[in-house]
Amino acid sequence: MKAGFMANSGGRATAIQSRLEKLKTVVAELDKTIVDKKAKDFLLRPAANAFSDVEILLLPHGLKATNPAHASMWFEIAEFELRQAEERLKYAQGMVAKYAANLQAIG
């Protein structure tokens, strides 16, 4: 049971890490594209913060969990954070497509 639990946790963590790396690539591309610093901060910082939370807090807790229920909980939260970041990045991509790289955040 323990070996199966560990293998399943490792596989789920690997899938989360893979998704995280793909999303980081999107942020890097948008960071190069968007000119205005305020717009970058507004559109990209929340995703970057979520990535930090996933890497520093959620994945390690999931991997160190002592039972499948706790591991699943941590991984589920990590997946939720990545879904939220993904939606935010899709919005940012849409804004760039609509207003070009010179879009600005006012305020």
Side-chain angles (χ1 to χ4, degrees):
M1 173 75 174
K2 181 84 168 163
F5 159 60
M6 295 301 288
N8 187 35
S9 290
R12 195 164 175 193
T14 300
I16 291 169
Q17 187 65 38
S18 174
R19 189 170 171 199
L20 178 64
E21 292 307 317
K22 288 176 187 170
L23 292 172
K24 281 182 171 183
T25 300
V26 173
V27 167
E29 290 169 4
L30 286 168
D31 187 57
K32 289 179 192 173
T33 303
I34 300 170
V35 177
D36 185 67
K37 182 180 176 352
K38 284 184 182 180
K40 279 185 195 188
D41 287 347
F42 178 76
L43 294 170
L44 305 180
R45 185 175 293 161
N49 289 343
F51 299 161
S52 235
D53 290 345
V54 169
E55 285 181 309
I56 294 169
L57 180 69
L58 302 171
L59 274 179
H61 275 82
L63 289 169
K64 290 188 282 185
T66 56
N67 66 58
H70 285 143
S72 183
M73 175 192 70
W74 288 109
F75 293 143
E76 211 168 296
I77 296 168
E79 289 163 346
F80 172 80
E81 287 296 321
L82 292 181
R83 276 193 307 276
Q84 296 298 308
E86 192 170 34
E87 288 301 314
R88 183 116 184 151
L89 293 175
K90 283 179 186 175
Y91 175 77
Q93 288 171 320
M95 294 294 286
V96 169
K98 187 173 184 178
Y99 298 107
N102 291 324
L103 71 99
Q104 294 183 343
I106 308 292

